[in-house]
Amino acid sequence: MPDVADVQLSKKKDFLDQIEKRRTFGIVSHPDAGKTTLTEKLLLFGGAIQVAGAVKSNKIKKSATSDFMEIERQRGISVATSVMGFNYRDKQINILDTPGHKDFAEDTFRTLTAVDSVIVVIDVAKGVETQTEKLVEVCRMRKTPIMVFINKLDREGLDGFDLLDEVEQKLGLRVTPQSWPIGMGQRFKGVYNIYENKLVLFSPHGKQSEEDVIEITDLEDSQLDELVGPSSAEELRSEVEMISEIYDPLDVERYRDGDQSPVFFGSAINNFGVKELLDCFVEIAPPPLPRITEERQIDPREEKFKGFVFKIHANMDPKHRDRIAFVRVCSGIFKRNTNYLHIRQNKKMKFSNPTTFMASKKEIVDHAYPGDIVGLYDSGNFKIGDTLTEGEIIHFKGIPSFSPEQFRYVINKDPMKSKQLNKGLDQLMDEGVAQMFTMEINGRKIIGTVGALQFEVIQYRLEHEYGAKCDYEPLRLYKACWISSDNDEQVAEMMRRRKKDMARDKHGALVFMAESAWALKMAQENYPDIGFHFTNEFE
Ligand code: G4P
């Protein structure tokens, strides 16, 4: 019989192996760059799905922005694709889906708090687009390691070097190309895999097979001329030489520190160049990283379970009012039917049906490890940012709220239902659908969103899930600015003089509702000891 110490040692080893195996990441892009297609090809490699087309895009089609049923349908799909797990080589990979639609940008920002690295997809013809800039900025703030996939090389696009310049300038990344295209569009012949010194030849609409990969350790090899033609071979040689002169070689430490981004070229729809990306990803992407709390840093290898809620997904079917709270396991092992402390509510809770997600299948799990995401059925106990532990009191940091872009007053259309309205609004805000501010002067409620779509979502859901009716009154505001200051007198003075512009957010924090950029500038000049912030996450 093995002795107790041996058993404990082997359990510990298994636990550490499980952590080391996990790679949890998100794919971000501007809509239409190819995020869904790339996700699908990655799942095909992992054997998580068998046929193309199995992953439905969760994007809300442009034509459907005013069609509510479409939004609802898409939401239904997105719960299935919120997390997609698969195995590749010896790694357990979790892809966290992020909505591409700009109106749901806050969802994406929050999801990014639960990943350890990110792959950015860029359309070769369009270059760096606005949505990508915003998302990468958030990743850079957190030093999230980033890999870049330049997609649609089967089409004409920008010159490779110009694109890399754009990526460096607009996204602020330092790049290191790890594959390089040979021509593009009609003349696209393949990529040279710099990471592994291999030539990969392109056959459109075909499946990339092992025979298409030719090992060429020396680009001077005359075989290259035979394979791609002398002029393309010459061009490739000179471009690869330029790359080695301009860019630093891959440095895994720098990548993991968020200081260098490997770049790959390919065509997701043709499943070309994707394997090169994935093979490099599994080798260099970081395993679950420590997470910062207000109290201390949490190491994934700590024995006791700790996790936080980064997303809540409501079931819009009124017959099934439950919600799913998505929890990122940060340390220890999450176990089914075990009591955990819900810190904000100071109560013990246990979960009989926690689910994990393998491709689009949901499965009940007994154990989940750091890096995993578990879905917990919830009847209204959770808010985004909530922490679960085995008893230690900690609060995870880094689930930011950003200033909304659009604001409206809420009007209760049915005074008999004000209780339902308030409950509905509270719960929708807990889910992070939008933000609510209460004006200091008269207690009026303002809803702030990133895009117009959420106003529709709120109205519809209040009516169908809570039986309350609301309307909106337009309101022209520039930004909501969280304020901070050590000068209490100045804050008191501002409260006195600008009371009509002051509000509280859902945590009771003071917010200046700036009517215009000019009004904000004036306030900054008049109250120099007060800091004005576009996000509630500031030191
Ligand atoms: P998204 O999730 O980032 O929004 O993009 P998605 O994968 O849905 O791709 C957007 C469009 O780009 C799709 O075409 C898709 O087929 C196409 N696409 C993706 N990868 C490539 C590629 O490597 N080359 C080319 N030429 N096209 C690519 P669609 O017509 O909008 O949709 P669908 O009707 O094909 O689904």
Side-chain angles (χ1 to χ4, degrees):
M1 260 212 7
D3 82 26
V4 181
D6 282 347
V7 173
Q8 273 173 349
L9 211 63
S10 97
K11 271 192 179 163
K12 174 96 184 162
K13 189 177 171 307
D14 181 55
F15 172 56
L16 295 179
D17 286 349
Q18 292 290 347
I19 299 176
E20 179 44 42
K21 269 167 71 166
R22 277 166 170 77
R23 297 291 180 275
T24 300
F25 77 107
I27 305 182
V28 301
S29 73
H30 194 88
D32 277 343
K35 180 168 69 73
T36 312
T37 314
L38 178 65
T39 306
E40 180 169 292
K41 301 303 171 191
L42 294 175
L43 294 175
L44 280 168
F45 277 115
I49 54 172
Q50 263 61 41
V51 285
V55 177
K56 295 285 179 294
S57 166
N58 82 349
K59 69 186 165 179
I60 291 158
K61 299 268 185 226
K62 286 174 216 89
S63 58
T65 43
S66 58
D67 177 350
F68 202 85
M69 291 321 286
E70 180 63 15
I71 300 173
E72 197 178 354
R73 195 180 68 77
Q74 298 287 354
R75 281 177 56 92
I77 291 168
S78 73
V79 75
T81 58
S82 282
V83 187
M84 286 159 284
F86 66 96
N87 294 301
Y88 183 71
R89 296 186 10 193
D90 54 346
K91 299 290 186 291
Q92 156 76 49
I93 298 172
N94 296 313
I95 308 182
L96 272 54
D97 194 24
T98 54
H101 197 287
K102 69 171 179 25
D103 286 9
F104 292 96
E106 284 254 325
D107 273 0
T108 303
F109 294 143
R110 286 190 291 255
T111 298
L112 291 178
T113 62
V115 304
D116 298 302
S117 69
V118 152
I119 293 180
V120 175
V121 185
I122 292 172
D123 180 329
V124 69
K126 300 211 174 117
V128 173
E129 298 174 86
T130 47
Q131 193 69 2
T132 315
E133 278 183 62
K134 284 194 195 147
L135 295 169
V136 170
E137 201 183 313
V138 174
C139 296
R140 274 208 345 260
M141 267 163 56
R142 304 208 177 99
K143 296 188 179 301
T144 309
I146 298 174
M147 277 183 158
V148 177
F149 182 71
I150 304 206
N151 190 26
K152 307 197 185 180
L153 263 291
D154 57 320
R155 288 211 184 139
E156 292 302 327
L158 307 174
D159 167 75
F161 287 104
D162 289 349
L163 239 169
L164 293 183
D165 274 356
E166 203 176 302
V167 170
E168 293 213 312
Q169 273 154 28
K170 288 196 178 165
L171 300 182
L173 302 177
R174 265 174 277 183
V175 299
T176 174
Q178 292 305 305
S179 78
W180 193 252
I182 306 166
M184 66 171 68
Q186 298 278 346
R187 296 167 297 105
F188 183 50
K189 297 198 169 132
V191 291
Y192 181 63
N193 181 349
I194 300 174
Y195 182 65
E196 292 183 328
N197 288 331
K198 282 178 186 159
L199 181 72
V200 193
L201 295 177
F202 176 63
S203 55
H205 309 296
K207 240 186 126 189
Q208 187 181 324
S209 66
E210 295 297 327
E211 297 94 76
D212 299 330
V213 183
I214 295 145
E215 295 223 18
I216 293 202
T217 41
D218 180 4
L219 280 179
E220 296 306 322
D221 192 333
S222 62
Q223 212 192 343
L224 182 65
D225 302 73
E226 285 157 33
L227 290 165
V228 300
S231 74
S232 293
E234 223 18 73
E235 198 174 289
L236 179 67
R237 287 184 188 114
S238 79
E239 288 180 341
V240 171
E241 197 181 320
M242 267 170 81
I243 289 169
S244 66
E245 281 163 14
I246 305 175
Y247 303 103
D248 291 345
L250 174 65
D251 177 335
V252 177
E253 284 306 307
R254 280 182 62 194
Y255 156 68
R256 287 191 174 184
D257 286 343
D259 184 40
Q260 189 188 52
S261 293
V263 179
F264 288 83
F265 290 81
S267 167
I269 195 103
N270 291 297
N271 202 2
F272 189 80
V274 178
K275 187 170 182 297
E276 286 62 37
L277 171 80
L278 181 59
D279 283 339
C280 178
F281 175 85
V282 291
E283 277 172 27
I284 70 170
L289 297 173
R291 287 283 183 287
I292 299 170
T293 69
E294 282 168 23
E295 292 75 10
R296 64 184 190 87
Q297 178 162 301
I298 305 296
D299 192 291
R301 292 163 300 186
E302 289 176 20
E303 212 175 291
K304 293 200 167 140
F305 162 73
K306 297 164 206 82
F308 70 92
V309 177
F310 64 95
K311 170 174 174 150
I312 293 178
H313 207 297
N315 194 337
M316 290 183 65
D317 179 348
K319 288 191 256 13
H320 303 99
R321 282 277 289 277
D322 53 356
R323 320 193 284 184
I324 298 181
F326 290 84
V327 172
R328 150 108 192 189
V329 180
C330 298
S331 72
I333 305 176
F334 173 91
K335 295 182 187 135
R336 187 175 161 210
N337 280 326
T338 302
N339 267 316
Y340 291 119
L341 179 65
H342 181 321
I343 309 266
R344 185 177 51 83
Q345 294 202 339
N346 190 24
K347 76 174 180 195
K348 291 264 172 81
M349 293 178 81
K350 61 178 169 189
F351 307 92
S352 51
N353 296 313
T355 48
T356 53
F357 307 82
M358 288 302 278
S360 54
K361 278 203 308 277
K362 281 193 283 180
E363 280 167 4
I364 292 183
V365 278
D366 291 320
H367 296 109
Y369 294 89
D372 283 343
I373 309 299
V374 279
L376 305 178
Y377 287 95
D378 169 44
S379 53
N381 280 308
F382 287 118
K383 281 188 188 189
I384 284 177
D386 277 346
T387 302
L388 287 175
T389 71
E390 291 187 26
E392 186 179 344
I393 310 288
I394 48 163
H395 302 84
F396 282 95
K397 274 172 100 164
I399 306 250
S401 294
F402 293 87
S403 172
E405 305 284 325
Q406 306 201 16
F407 301 86
R408 293 184 197 172
Y409 279 120
V410 190
I411 297 166
N412 183 1
K413 265 176 75 178
D414 183 351
M416 304 296 287
K417 296 278 172 65
S418 55
K419 224 169 121 188
Q420 286 87 334
L421 181 82
N422 288 334
K423 180 172 178 221
L425 282 172
D426 267 356
Q427 290 208 348
L428 294 180
M429 299 309 126
D430 289 351
E431 273 176 40
V433 176
Q435 292 181 61
M436 198 159 64
F437 302 93
T438 310
M439 294 306 293
E440 280 286 282
I441 197 151
N442 53 15
R444 285 193 78 181
K445 290 191 161 66
I446 293 176
I447 288 187
T449 67
V450 177
L453 208 53
Q454 276 100 335
F455 289 111
E456 265 183 74
V457 172
I458 292 166
Q459 215 166 24
Y460 180 96
R461 290 191 51 194
L462 281 173
E463 187 167 345
H464 288 83
E465 295 171 36
Y466 300 92
K469 281 193 178 150
C470 85
D471 223 336
Y472 301 112
E473 192 180 302
L475 179 63
R476 281 182 73 90
L477 282 180
Y478 165 63
K479 288 267 161 103
C481 308
W482 282 266
I483 65 169
S484 65
S485 182
D486 293 331
N487 186 339
D488 294 346
E489 257 172 51
Q490 218 166 74
V491 174
E493 160 137 355
M494 187 177 181
M495 288 293 287
R496 213 167 35 244
R497 287 177 172 260
R498 307 298 297 259
K499 192 160 186 181
K500 70 169 188 33
D501 300 320
M502 303 306 289
R504 300 261 173 195
D505 75 1
K506 65 176 174 194
H507 306 295
L510 265 180
V511 181
F512 173 61
M513 309 297 270
E515 267 177 22
S516 60
W518 186 80
L520 173 60
K521 192 166 161 276
M522 290 307 293
Q524 281 165 329
E525 279 172 20
N526 290 338
Y527 306 103
D529 288 354
I530 296 182
F532 294 82
H533 314 273
F534 290 159
T535 151
N536 70 345
E537 196 183 71
F538 49 83
E539 292 306 319

